[in-house]
Amino acid sequence: MKNIKSKRKDTQVIHAGTNPDKTYGSVAPPIYQTSTFKFDSAEQGAKRFLGEEPGYIYTRLGNPTTSTLQEAIATLENGTSALATASGMAAVSTIYMTFLEAGAHIIGSEAIYGPSRVVIENEFSRFGVEYDFIDTSDIEQVKKAVKPNTKLIFIETPANPTIKLTDIKACAEIAHNNGAVLAIDNTFMSPILQNPFDYDADIIMHSMTKYINGHTDVVGGILVFNNDELMQRTRKVLHNHGGTIDPSQAWLVLRGLRTLSLRVNKAQENAQVIANYLEQHPKVKWVRYPGLKSHPHHELAKQQMKGFGSMISFEVEGGIEGGKTVMNNVELATLAVSLGGFETLIQHPASMTHSSMNKQDRSNAGITDGLIRISIGCEDAQDLQDDLEQCLNKI
Ligand SMILES: Cc1ncc(COP(=O)(O)O)c(C=O)c1O
């Protein structure tokens, strides 16, 4: 479609990405389930390898189904290109491999998806990478953490699972004044609710396993760029290290993507109802949801987000035992990690998604033992509330 970039998100989500089928005019994009592509001649093969002729070579290096998905997400994020990966963590690791080296320093949000932090602390540190995971919601801490060798600032906002927000524009300014790159994990917001290029971020990352696919049946990730030089550097690393997505996986994500806007909007309507309900409940000690006035970053949320999303963290009376009572008694919500699916998922970060972090780091980051994270889905809000009510009554 012409001028898709000028359309609104609800239209882009349905139409972005060129259908590669020129033969039969199939409306749904075909799955090009092939590992390799035939050349017409030895000369053509050589030209493709030299980048002198467009066209596909080998699926690890590119595939038409994957290209459609990449084009769609790049459009939705107001970017110019994207690289789809086998998982969200493949995308995170690709950023780290591209922009870090021995002696380089990374600043990251302390409350972040557990493995995004642990892979630096346990693996990249073995290759001489230095790091500071800090509270990036406090911009003074970010300024203080910068060193001459800081190459990358990696933030997650809202952060997982504390739902703290970081000021993207302020971080971009700090990164750019120091010659560093700002990458942001935008998984919790999806391209519908937050577009970090509008706030000068350099790279946007999503675990497509979550909202973008939205059906709890695919693992995938993506990196989005609005700068060709950064994309080309990253592309070489991704293609050589091999964390590329498979075409059938890319196709499933494309199918899920088409309803992203509907799902995200319904889930966040529900989330506001549930957050309001939890906040007034006598068995609930505190609730963190950017759409609540009590959220410390509610004003920032209104500025840099287009909606408040559907991720809520809360703590109930009775600490971890109270939390277990809720998780063991849910009937409608599913006790499972992950998020951003059409259904409601509830989990306990300290023993599940963030168990790989050491206990002290967890506690410094505000990931208390009693914190419960809920990813609100697209069910009826009253039914979700009734489910939580029967659990809370058992505490
Ligand atoms: C915010 C966030 N970033 C990254 C990841 C990693 O994504 P994946 O599981 O697709 O590797 C997750 C997974 O839970 C996540 O929640």
Side-chain angles (χ1 to χ4, degrees), residues 50-356:
L50 285 169
E52 289 173 0
E53 182 190 294
Y56 295 95
I57 298 173
Y58 181 65
T59 281
R60 174 161 47 75
L61 314 177
N63 176 286
T65 312
T66 304
S67 297
T68 303
L69 174 64
Q70 292 175 160
E71 199 186 316
I73 307 285
T75 303
L76 280 164
E77 279 292 18
N78 307 333
T80 48
S81 58
L83 296 167
T85 57
S87 67
M89 281 315 298
V92 173
S93 301
T94 300
I95 302 177
Y96 292 165
M97 281 190 286
T98 308
F99 297 98
L100 299 173
E101 72 262 329
H105 175 245
I106 170 175
I107 298 171
S109 304
E110 62 182 352
I112 197 169
Y113 178 60
S116 298
R117 173 172 178 160
V118 170
V119 78
I120 291 285
E121 291 173 336
N122 293 359
E123 317 304 339
F124 282 80
S125 63
R126 294 190 288 117
F127 303 105
V129 169
E130 297 169 21
Y131 56 86
D132 277 299
F133 286 97
I134 55 163
D135 182 359
T136 53
S137 74
D138 175 359
I139 221 65
E140 292 308 313
Q141 283 198 36
V142 184
K143 283 184 190 156
K144 279 194 202 128
V146 172
K147 297 181 186 178
N149 57 341
T150 304
K151 294 283 171 66
L152 181 64
I153 301 183
F154 186 71
I155 59 172
E156 211 178 277
T157 177
N160 188 352
T162 56
I163 322 287
K164 277 184 180 177
L165 267 54
T166 293
D167 186 329
I168 304 169
K169 204 171 173 58
C171 277
E173 201 178 316
I174 296 169
H176 298 158
N177 286 342
N178 291 279
V181 165
L182 175 69
I184 167 164
D185 183 336
N186 203 26
T187 301
F188 269 31
M189 288 284 91
S190 89
I192 301 297
L193 298 181
Q194 182 167 269
N195 300 119
F197 289 146
D198 297 351
Y199 302 96
D200 300 336
D202 299 300
I203 301 171
I204 300 171
M205 172 259 149
H206 287 275
S207 165
M208 297 194 296
T209 315
K210 314 300 192 272
Y211 290 97
I212 290 180
N213 177 61
H215 290 72
T216 323
D217 51 10
V218 176
V219 171
I222 198 153
L223 296 170
V224 193
F225 304 85
N226 62 356
N227 170 315
D228 195 52
E229 195 252 317
L230 296 185
M231 191 281 279
Q232 293 299 351
R233 277 172 72 185
T234 312
R235 185 182 61 80
K236 283 184 196 141
V237 174
L238 175 66
H239 289 172
N240 287 333
H241 281 267
T244 329
I245 200 167
D246 182 78
S248 51
Q249 200 183 344
W251 186 88
L252 275 171
V253 177
L254 255 175
R255 191 170 77 157
L257 172 73
R258 300 309 182 192
T259 55
L260 177 67
S261 188
L262 292 168
R263 289 184 281 103
V264 161
N265 285 310
K266 170 68 177 157
Q268 78 168 346
E269 258 173 46
N270 285 351
Q272 186 71 56
V273 173
I274 298 299
N276 293 343
Y277 156 76
L278 288 171
E279 192 165 49
Q280 54 72 46
H281 200 286
K283 293 280 172 60
V284 176
K285 281 165 73 172
W286 54 259
V287 187
R288 279 283 171 279
Y289 179 65
L292 291 175
K293 288 205 177 73
S294 60
H295 191 291
H297 310 131
H298 180 62
E299 289 308 314
L300 178 61
K302 286 198 281 186
Q303 280 168 37
Q304 75 181 15
M305 290 153 57
K306 294 172 181 160
F308 301 120
S310 45
M311 297 301 301
I312 303 174
S313 287
F314 64 104
E315 186 163 337
V316 293
E317 294 293 344
I320 183 62
E321 286 312 312
K324 278 189 187 158
T325 304
V326 172
M327 287 182 288
N328 286 331
N329 285 286
V330 282
E331 288 171 3
L332 195 55
T334 302
L335 176 58
V337 296
S338 202
L339 60 108
F342 56 80
E343 74 286 77
T344 297
L345 300 179
I346 191 164
Q347 67 112 356
H348 178 235
S351 67
M352 297 175 188
T353 45
H354 292 70
S355 58
S356 56

